[in-house]
Amino acid sequence: VYANGDSVFDGFTVTGGNADHAKVLNGGGMYVLGATIRNCTFLRNSANLGGGGLFGYAKWLSDVLFESNSSRHLGGGAGLSVIAGSPFTRCVFRNNVAAAGGGGLYMSGHLDGGEIDECVFQGNSYTVGTSGGGGGAIYIDGYSSIRNSVFI
């Protein structure tokens, strides 16, 4: 799925997506440029480069489940760039894996990054495959705030 602009995705499941083509390496489940995503599930998607479940940047993510997604580089569950104040609320990142880092979530922020609130990171990992490395649950490249969240 490719989404941009003012798109809103509410209440659906993306499963079994695979970004392994020479021209499409990111966003196994969805490649997003500025959309709002809520009440959705990203399940068993994979990407050759980044964002097994979701890749790009989102204006808002709430009540989203990322489960059993994988990436051969960064962001097994999701690999996202964020703009100032982009909120992630009540999201669950469970059993995702990335080769280089950010098993659950890789987030790259610009100046003031995203806000993670009431999220759960459970059973995510990275395998130290390529350059970089770190953050089995989350890898933040930049500034972000994390509040009221659980890491298991």
Side-chain angles (χ1 to χ4, degrees), residues 38-104:
R38 58 184 178 233
N39 304 308
C40 292
T41 298
F42 293 87
L43 179 66
R44 292 187 304 274
N45 300 287
S46 64
N48 265 358
L49 195 54
L54 176 66
F55 180 84
Y57 77 91
K59 292 179 186 175
W60 186 286
L61 277 136
S62 66
D63 303 292
V64 178
L65 170 64
F66 296 91
E67 185 165 5
S68 300
N69 299 288
S70 64
S71 166
R72 292 186 185 165
H73 193 58
L74 295 167
L80 298 169
S81 292
V82 295
I83 55 177
S86 296
F88 297 77
T89 307
R90 295 177 307 277
C91 295
V92 176
F93 297 84
R94 184 182 303 133
N95 299 327
N96 300 288
V97 64

Side-chain angles (χ1 to χ4, degrees), residues 30-41:
M30 179 183 280
Y31 193 112
V32 61
L33 296 174
T36 295
I37 301 171
R38 58 184 178 233
N39 304 308
C40 292
T41 298

Side-chain angles (χ1 to χ4, degrees), residues 74-139:
L74 295 167
L80 298 169
S81 292
V82 295
I83 55 177
S86 296
F88 297 77
T89 307
R90 295 177 307 277
C91 295
V92 176
F93 297 84
R94 184 182 303 133
N95 299 327
N96 300 288
V97 64
L105 171 64
Y106 170 80
M107 189 163 51
S108 172
H110 303 285
L111 300 175
D112 292 327
E115 300 171 3
I116 299 169
D117 193 22
E118 298 180 36
C119 292
V120 175
F121 294 84
Q122 179 181 11
N124 300 288
S125 62
Y126 78 98
T127 61
V128 193
T130 59
S131 64
I138 185 170
Y139 184 117

